[in-house]
Amino acid sequence: GAVVSQHPSWVICKSGTSVKIECRSLDFQATTMFWYRQFPKQSLMLMATSNEGSKATYEQGVEKDKFLINHASLTLSTLTVTSAHPEDSSFYICSARQGAVETQYFGPGTRLLVL
Amino acid sequence: GNSVTQMEGPVTLSEEAFLTINCTYTATGYPSLFWYVQYPGEGLQLLLKATKADDKGSNKGFEATYRKETTSFHLEKGSVQVSDSAVYFCALSLNNAGNMLTFGGGTRLMVKP
């Protein structure tokens, strides 16, 4: 149980385009989802926290207008990287948890390459 | 603030060697502690956890004991395999901080046959 999927797993796009990444909890209701960014050989950095039906809370230094997060249902959250640039190239990982429990379940990640 | 410090990698071992990856933490309160593993090209998987002092988390031959007196949660395995090659992340969460995860920097383990 507790499976989280992400789609796509890989995306290559041109600079200036927007890219949407989906995060789904497959067998549980995720009241909270988290979006992380991971640069090569580095740890995960929390970008934002989203609760179903409300606006996302962004970490300091993360541009909310560039990284649009929508958590429209208890099983789906989306991250849209708007007007992507090469410096946005990274590995984006989502996680989900049910209620206020401490354990987060992670998706397999989405590797974004902006040319 | 809360923070997690892990030993820097990479850690390179031969198969069947003993593994220790050190992890220490600083927290304002009594955190839960976790070890996550990330295999190449994949997301993170929960390996084990401990929620209170002296608890021992264990899974797949790995174990870690929550040591409040030394604020540590070192990961150990008696005999590593090539398939254990991955990046290991120590993390904490605090109930009074919304159970947000704070990660260490990660330690890359390479096991050679």
Side-chain angles (χ1 to χ4, degrees), chain A residues 48-96:
Chain A
T49 302
S50 73
N51 292 295
E52 186 267 338
S54 62
K55 289 184 178 180
T57 301
Y58 290 81
E59 295 299 301
Q60 192 171 10
V62 179
E63 298 176 58
K64 62 179 181 180
D65 294 330
K66 180 162 186 64
F67 299 100
L68 300 178
I69 292 172
N70 184 9
H71 192 164
S73 77
L74 286 171
T75 58
L76 173 65
S77 176
T78 60
L79 167 68
T80 300
V81 183
T82 61
S83 187
H85 288 91
E87 58 266 30
D88 299 323
S89 299
S90 190
F91 194 47
Y92 292 88
I93 303 175
C94 74
S95 71

Side-chain angles (χ1 to χ4, degrees), chain A residues 38 43 49 97 100 102-103 106 108, chain B residues 32 38 43 49 51 98-99 104:
Chain A
Q38 185 182 31
S43 189
T49 302
R97 73 177 188 207
E102 58 195 4
T103 302
F106 285 80
Chain B
S32 294
Q38 183 179 33
K49 69 177 185 179
T51 58
N99 282 324

Side-chain angles (χ1 to χ4, degrees), chain B residues 63-99:
Chain B
E63 58 182 36
T65 302
Y66 189 144
R67 301 287 188 199
K68 182 181 172 184
E69 62 276 14
T70 54
T71 62
S72 65
F73 193 54
H74 304 323
L75 182 68
E76 296 181 337
K77 186 175 185 182
S79 176
V80 294
Q81 305 299 313
V82 173
S83 57
D84 293 326
S85 298
V87 180
Y88 293 81
F89 291 94
C90 186
L92 68 81
S93 73
L94 276 165
N95 191 36
N96 61 5
N99 282 324

Side-chain angles (χ1 to χ4, degrees), chain A residues 10-14 17 19 111-115:
Chain A
W10 253 106
V11 58
I12 302 174
C13 69
K14 293 182 178 180
T17 60
V19 175
R111 193 165 299 283
L112 170 64
L113 177 62
V114 185
L115 301 177

Side-chain angles (χ1 to χ4, degrees), chain B residues 17-78:
Chain B
F18 184 85
L19 168 71
T20 300
I21 300 178
N22 290 338
C23 170
T24 57
Y25 67 89
T26 303
T28 53
Y30 300 99
S32 294
L33 301 173
F34 304 82
W35 277 101
Y36 283 87
V37 57
Q38 183 179 33
Y39 297 102
E42 299 183 11
L44 274 66
Q45 298 177 28
L46 178 63
L47 181 59
L48 54 85
K49 69 177 185 179
T51 58
K52 61 183 188 296
D54 299 326
D55 268 2
K56 177 185 284 188
S58 61
N59 185 26
K60 299 181 181 179
F62 291 89
E63 58 182 36
T65 302
Y66 189 144
R67 301 287 188 199
K68 182 181 172 184
E69 62 276 14
T70 54
T71 62
S72 65
F73 193 54
H74 304 323
L75 182 68
E76 296 181 337
K77 186 175 185 182

Side-chain angles (χ1 to χ4, degrees), chain A residues 4-6 23-24 34-36 92-96 105-107:
Chain A
V4 177
S5 70
Q6 281 184 242
C23 177
R24 294 182 185 271
F34 303 87
W35 287 96
Y36 295 85
Y92 292 88
I93 303 175
C94 74
S95 71
Y105 298 94
F106 285 80

